[in-house]
Amino acid sequence: MTMIDDRSTGVDHADGEPWVEVCRVDDLVAGRGVCALVDGRQVAIFLLHDGSLHALDNRDPFSDANVLSRGLTGTAGDTPTVASPVYKQRFDLRTGTCIDDSSVRVPVHPVRAVDGIVSVRAG
Amino acid sequence: MKSCVGSTWCRYGVQDSVAMAIAVELRYRGLRAPHKIKMAVSGCARECAEAMGKDVGVIATEKGWNLYVCGNGGQRPRHAVLFAEDLDDAELIRCIDRFLMFYIRTADRLERTASWFEKLEGGIDFLRAVVIHDSLGIGDELEADMQRHVESYECEWKATVDDPERLKRFVSFVNAPDQPDPDIVMVQERGQVRPARADEKHELVTVGPHPNEEIAVAVEVRTR
């Protein structure tokens, strides 16, 4: 795996919670997700075909498995979604709210790409 | 693809259904279609492979093969329709090529052949006209489409294993590619490992590395 040089120092505390560099944009495949380990927390990161980045917890609350990064991305109306690969519930990539059961929500995290490097803030 | 044991192993078999099943499987594997496609080849009319419950069913005769299409099992069973009789090997393959490509081109997404057929205006006569008598003049095109599929097929699993770039997608963590998911713990069941259920996890103790290097730790249920 081609890695950014030193991810342990890839931390920027400038605006409160640290941005943690996790991979290069080139490591991502549009329409798919990857999982990053951020301070022990598993964060699913998605690059969509429109170039937008989304990040939410990797844990699927329905199956209790760390699999959301492996889900199929799609849309429900105009809402970008990821469907859990286990029982197929869809989650709004922008809010983490489950489309199929609005009482369920997974945490979302800020994610950005700067100079081709993807960073997340997962407090 | 399902097959009976055919003339090789069965006293009733009139054709080598296993060889035909393998040939058909190898030809259509990996085909992109509106929905899954199930097929079967039976070596005689006793129909041990249950080909009449499949999208494409082939049943051996004394003279060749009978082709059945658009069958379905499951929740809405439907017997496949007899499409053509006593075809030789080449005729059989040409019929299936054209039939499958016509289905792929005209069916809705997630529509199995059985429900596609029920909506098909003109029914079996129309389908025979298109596939056998080339009434729409697209026979060559359909065959060429299928030939392109056959020639471009690659085993996606093998291609992935052989390609370091594609293999990267299968690490647990993009920023820690050598680290397995620490939440995955295995228990032994019937001499095999399986992932622990949530209610089991609180009783688990680590017992050391598992012989399978992909699994970082093996655990067992603590005995009370």
Side-chain angles (χ1 to χ4, degrees):
Chain A
M1 175 120 241
T2 314
M3 290 301 305
I4 49 179
D5 287 330
D6 186 355
R7 57 183 181 273
S8 61
T9 60
V11 176
D12 161 20
H13 289 267
D15 16 334
E17 278 175 12
W19 284 100
V20 180
E21 296 181 351
V22 293
C23 63
R24 296 177 303 142
V25 176
D26 290 347
D27 294 328
L28 305 179
V29 178
R32 301 203 186 189
V34 297
C35 182
L37 198 55
V38 181
D39 208 10
R41 185 166 200 152
Q42 295 194 23
V43 180
I45 299 163
F46 300 88
L47 172 66
L48 300 186
H49 288 287
D50 65 3
S52 64
L53 285 163
H54 302 270
L56 58 166
D57 265 17
N58 195 35
R59 175 151 294 248
D60 169 20
F62 293 96
S63 64
D64 210 26
N66 300 316
V67 292
L68 287 186
S69 66
R70 305 290 186 187
L72 289 180
T73 58
T75 50
D78 293 330
T79 305
T81 62
V82 61
S84 167
V86 182
Y87 300 125
K88 313 295 189 275
Q89 287 91 354
R90 294 164 299 165
F91 297 89
D92 185 335
L93 282 171
R94 297 171 305 193
T95 65
T97 304
C98 179
I99 307 274
D100 302 293
D101 180 351
S102 57
S103 70
V104 176
R105 187 171 172 169
V106 298
V108 291
H109 307 289
V111 57
R112 70 179 185 186
V114 177
D115 298 332
I117 304 292
V118 178
S119 305
V120 292
R121 272 162 68 174
Chain B
M1 170 57 76
K2 177 179 179 180
S3 167
C4 69
V5 299
S7 54
T8 314
W9 291 281
C10 176
R11 61 188 163 140
Y12 298 120
V14 293
Q15 303 285 350
D16 185 353
S17 57
V18 174
M20 180 53 78
I22 291 170
V24 171
E25 162 69 23
L26 294 182
R27 185 166 182 80
Y28 303 117
R29 61 185 173 175
L31 185 64
R32 295 305 195 254
H35 209 304
K36 63 185 167 188
I37 296 171
K38 296 189 176 189
M39 311 193 203
V41 182
S42 280
C44 82
R46 289 167 189 75
E47 243 283 72
C48 290
E50 300 177 310
M52 291 177 72
K54 303 287 188 272
D55 299 277
V56 174
V58 178
I59 302 178
T61 68
E62 297 282 348
K63 298 178 205 153
W65 308 98
N66 284 355
L67 174 61
Y68 293 76
V69 296
C70 303
N72 210 148
Q75 202 163 24
R76 288 182 58 228
R78 183 182 192 287
H79 272 137
V81 182
L82 178 58
F83 182 78
E85 291 178 90
D86 295 325
L87 302 168
D88 66 27
D89 290 7
E91 289 169 337
L92 175 69
I93 295 300
R94 195 170 72 237
C95 277
I96 301 175
D97 276 8
R98 290 185 178 190
F99 164 74
L100 284 178
M101 269 304 163
F102 186 56
Y103 158 67
I104 288 168
R105 282 195 177 188
T106 59
D108 284 337
R109 282 178 289 178
L110 295 178
E111 187 173 49
R112 291 289 297 275
T113 57
S115 40
W116 168 76
F117 181 74
E118 277 163 17
K119 285 171 23 189
L120 196 66
E121 239 173 87
I124 190 69
D125 292 332
F126 173 69
L127 195 56
R128 283 200 191 104
V130 172
V131 171
I132 300 175
H133 306 298
D134 198 12
S135 62
L136 299 180
I138 57 171
D140 290 345
E141 223 176 286
L142 297 174
E143 283 175 49
D145 280 356
M146 189 60 82
Q147 197 53 39
R148 226 178 348 266
H149 156 74
V150 172
E151 283 159 16
S152 62
Y153 170 81
E154 64 166 7
C155 173
E156 286 155 272
W157 299 101
K158 185 175 184 305
T160 299
V161 168
D162 291 342
D163 180 352
E165 283 300 311
R166 285 204 229 179
L167 267 186
K168 283 183 193 172
R169 298 178 196 168
F170 291 84
V171 300
S172 288
F173 303 112
V174 68
N175 61 341
D178 299 324
Q179 189 167 328
D181 181 346
D183 283 353
I184 296 179
V185 289
M186 296 289 176
V187 291
Q188 296 270 339
E189 187 170 88
R190 291 179 232 97
Q192 297 175 312
V193 291
R194 66 157 172 82
R197 291 190 301 268
D199 60 311
E200 291 170 331
K201 280 191 181 176
H202 70 280
E203 298 182 352
L204 297 175
V205 288
T206 302
V207 295
H210 190 268
N212 179 350
E213 291 171 13
E214 302 296 313
I215 302 167
V217 291
V219 294
E220 63 184 14
V221 176
R222 191 195 303 271
T223 50
R224 294 171 207 229

